[in-house]
Amino acid sequence: MTEEADIYELLEAVKDPEIPVLSVVDLGIVRKVDWISPKKLKITITPTYSGCPAMDTIEREISEILQSKGFEVEVVTSISEAWTTDWISEKGRKNLEEYGIAPPAEATTDKSFITGNSKNVHCPRCKSEETSLISQFGSTACKALYKCDSCHETFDYFKCI
Amino acid sequence: MTKDEALFEFLLRTGDNGLVLAQRLGEWCGHAHQLESDIALTNVALDNIGQARMALTEAGKVEGKGRSEDDLAFHRTEMEFRNNLLLEQENGDFAQTITRQFLFDVFQFELLSGLKSSSNEFLQSFAIKSLKEVTYHRSLSSDWMVRLGDGTELSHDKMQNALNLLWQYTGELFEKTEADDILIADGVIPDLEKLKESWDDIVGQVIKEATLEIPDTKGFMATGSRRGEHTEFLGYILAEMQYLPRTMPEAKW
Ligand SMILES: [Zn+2]
């Protein structure tokens, strides 16, 4: 019988359509794998933001990849517990940074971010900590827009929720 | 009125608030004064659509007549919509849009904070999820209130005019119906009177910091949405939003 870890490994192939370096597993949106029967799986996923337009694509790709391995699949969406950026894996954070998106600071230290105090956001290009918030709303629901005061490039920041 | 009927009414109101506001904010797409604002307003719209979808889906389940989120969004008439009048008001200029947003964001933040301890499991999860998003919305609109209110003479006047126009629609946010009484008694939703106290407090603080003044409406507050009586604007919003699914009911992406 296939182990839970094997299923997660298969799901590594499903990427966030808007951030192709981040798998749905690294993003922390695959919450649960249940066996309905030896060949039938129920996968529970949760949206990052309530309006995330990528959910349909993600759901379809999860089904397709598991079906191609001979499973019957049911994908269900659950909003409880609510997704948090703390669920992004260490590998995911590293990939984000290499891709040019500053990974989220720890949510526990994040209260000041909502008000735009950016002490802990460093530039993914030159690693400078001298950065400032341009807008709390960026190119997708999950990102804010920052600029680096050292190399003067703008960059996306994966904001904490 | 049964408890489920009461819950249905509240879910419709919450879903319709998100849906109508999102529709209004979507009108800004490609038209805001700077790219950042354009993106911010449409992001807020997207969050509201997401929240509306959850609330309307749940409303359909609670109603038990097999209506989906789409049935509820696209196949009801204005008299059947329960969104607050504030949200259907025109975008006007940026000052008017931001003021509408601010008055609603503070309300929504307080409502969701109360719903976090709701005795209803769906509302509890819905609130915890949505509050994360609304925290950012409230921060955006409060910042603009202060920046423009306490800005130039021109921006100050525009903000004051917006406040003068929209204030009359704020009383209705806290109006209680039979449904609300049932839900409050059961701990499903927070007491709207207490909610108004914290709303008054926070809105008052921001307005003061923005060097604006709360207008004197001489006791007048517009009312009607709880009974499906809307201002003239809702019909136009629905006409645009519902045109396609009503013309081609079987249309699929
Ligand atoms: Zn830099």
Side-chain angles (χ1 to χ4, degrees):
Chain A
M1 186 165 149
T2 323
E3 300 282 334
E4 191 172 352
D6 299 327
I7 301 298
Y8 275 100
E9 204 173 311
L10 289 173
L11 294 180
E12 280 286 344
V14 181
K15 310 294 183 194
D16 179 328
E18 279 159 346
I19 312 167
V21 293
L22 208 52
S23 78
V24 290
V25 177
D26 285 329
L27 192 54
I29 63 172
V30 180
R31 299 315 299 159
K32 219 160 159 253
V33 176
D34 291 306
W35 272 264
I36 309 290
S37 68
K39 275 289 168 195
K40 185 163 184 197
L41 292 169
K42 185 170 103 174
I43 311 289
T44 307
I45 57 175
T46 193
T48 52
Y49 281 73
S50 341
C52 177
M55 288 308 280
D56 288 344
T57 309
I58 288 172
E59 196 177 314
R60 199 179 59 238
E61 288 184 7
I62 288 178
S63 296
E64 280 170 5
I65 200 122
L66 294 175
Q67 279 161 2
S68 76
K69 302 291 172 188
F71 290 101
E72 247 187 277
V73 193
E74 183 193 352
V75 182
V76 295
T77 301
S78 162
I79 54 162
S80 180
E81 298 173 64
W83 182 81
T84 155
T85 30
D86 288 352
W87 291 348
I88 299 178
S89 71
E90 212 32 63
K91 170 159 83 66
R93 298 173 59 88
K94 212 172 130 266
N95 289 354
L96 271 177
E97 178 143 11
E98 281 168 9
Y99 189 61
I101 300 172
E106 303 299 324
T108 39
T109 62
D110 189 55
K111 292 301 166 214
S112 59
F113 284 84
I114 291 168
T115 55
N117 180 343
S118 64
K119 274 281 185 294
N120 293 319
V121 176
H122 63 253
C123 169
R125 287 185 186 78
C126 74
K127 315 298 173 203
S128 164
E129 289 191 356
E130 302 301 315
T131 62
S132 39
L133 175 74
I134 297 176
S135 173
Q136 283 154 346
F137 296 86
S139 55
T140 64
C142 54
K143 285 175 271 169
L145 190 61
Y146 272 75
K147 70 166 190 267
C148 173
D149 299 324
S150 299
C151 73
H152 304 291
E153 287 289 338
T154 55
F155 63 91
D156 277 332
Y157 165 62
F158 206 111
K159 68 188 176 197
C160 287
I161 62 165
Chain B
M1 176 178 266
T2 67
K3 288 178 182 187
D4 273 352
E5 282 166 356
L7 182 58
F8 177 66
E9 188 177 311
F10 179 76
L11 287 165
L12 271 192
R13 189 192 303 161
T14 303
D16 290 347
N17 275 349
L19 185 62
V20 169
L21 177 60
Q23 200 67 17
R24 274 294 186 221
L25 291 173
E27 291 170 21
W28 275 106
C29 188
H31 296 284
H33 62 278
Q34 57 177 27
L35 193 55
E36 289 81 4
S37 293
D38 203 291
I39 290 171
L41 291 174
T42 42
N43 263 301
V44 175
L46 186 63
D47 289 341
N48 274 286
I49 285 280
Q51 293 164 19
R53 290 187 60 184
M54 291 194 273
L56 291 179
T57 301
E58 184 68 12
K61 281 189 206 158
V62 169
E63 188 194 31
K65 291 182 184 163
R67 286 205 276 182
S68 69
E69 49 173 320
D70 283 351
D71 293 332
L72 290 169
F74 298 129
H75 297 282
R76 279 180 301 146
T77 61
E78 354 164 13
M79 296 283 292
E80 295 166 288
F81 268 71
R82 288 294 177 270
N83 62 282
N84 287 108
L85 302 176
L86 174 67
L87 303 163
E88 69 205 35
Q89 298 311 305
E90 290 181 300
N91 283 342
D93 53 13
F94 187 70
Q96 196 171 315
T97 293
I98 282 297
T99 304
R100 182 186 63 203
Q101 191 66 37
F102 165 70
L103 296 170
F104 178 67
D105 286 342
V106 177
F107 169 78
Q108 193 72 345
F109 184 92
E110 295 303 314
L111 177 68
L112 292 170
S113 301
L115 288 175
K116 274 170 88 172
S117 48
S118 167
S119 59
N120 176 283
E121 207 181 317
F122 167 79
L123 284 174
Q124 202 182 88
S125 328
F126 171 79
I128 293 170
K129 178 88 196 153
S130 306
L131 195 57
K132 292 174 181 240
E133 296 158 3
V134 172
T135 303
Y136 280 105
H137 305 170
R138 190 184 69 152
S139 155
L140 175 84
S141 58
S142 312
D143 283 354
W144 275 114
M145 287 300 290
V146 174
R147 186 163 154 195
L148 295 175
D150 192 14
T152 64
E153 200 179 318
L154 181 65
S155 73
H156 174 92
D157 289 350
K158 286 187 177 217
M159 293 304 283
Q160 188 61 54
N161 287 341
L163 209 50
N164 294 349
L165 174 73
L166 293 172
W167 193 258
Q168 60 182 311
Y169 300 107
T170 58
E172 200 214 30
L173 293 166
F174 307 95
E175 242 175 53
K176 284 198 271 190
T177 62
E178 189 191 344
D180 295 292
D181 290 334
I182 292 172
L183 297 173
I184 292 167
D186 274 0
V188 175
I189 65 168
D191 191 338
L192 297 178
E193 271 161 48
K194 288 220 184 75
L195 211 72
K196 183 161 188 336
E197 284 171 27
S198 23
W199 184 88
D200 278 336
D201 184 36
I202 296 166
V203 165
Q205 283 177 33
V206 174
I207 287 180
K208 191 166 167 229
E209 201 187 329
T211 68
L212 298 167
E213 273 174 32
I214 293 177
D216 179 11
T217 64
K218 303 200 167 46
F220 174 78
M221 282 288 171
T223 178
S225 77
R226 299 285 199 261
R227 301 181 299 278
E229 291 160 14
H230 289 273
T231 57
E232 65 182 292
F233 305 118
L234 183 64
Y236 292 98
I237 298 176
L238 297 189
E240 189 176 3
M241 184 180 79
Q242 297 181 334
Y243 169 78
L244 188 69
R246 280 180 185 262
T247 313
M248 285 173 257
E250 303 301 323
K252 292 256 183 298
W253 283 109

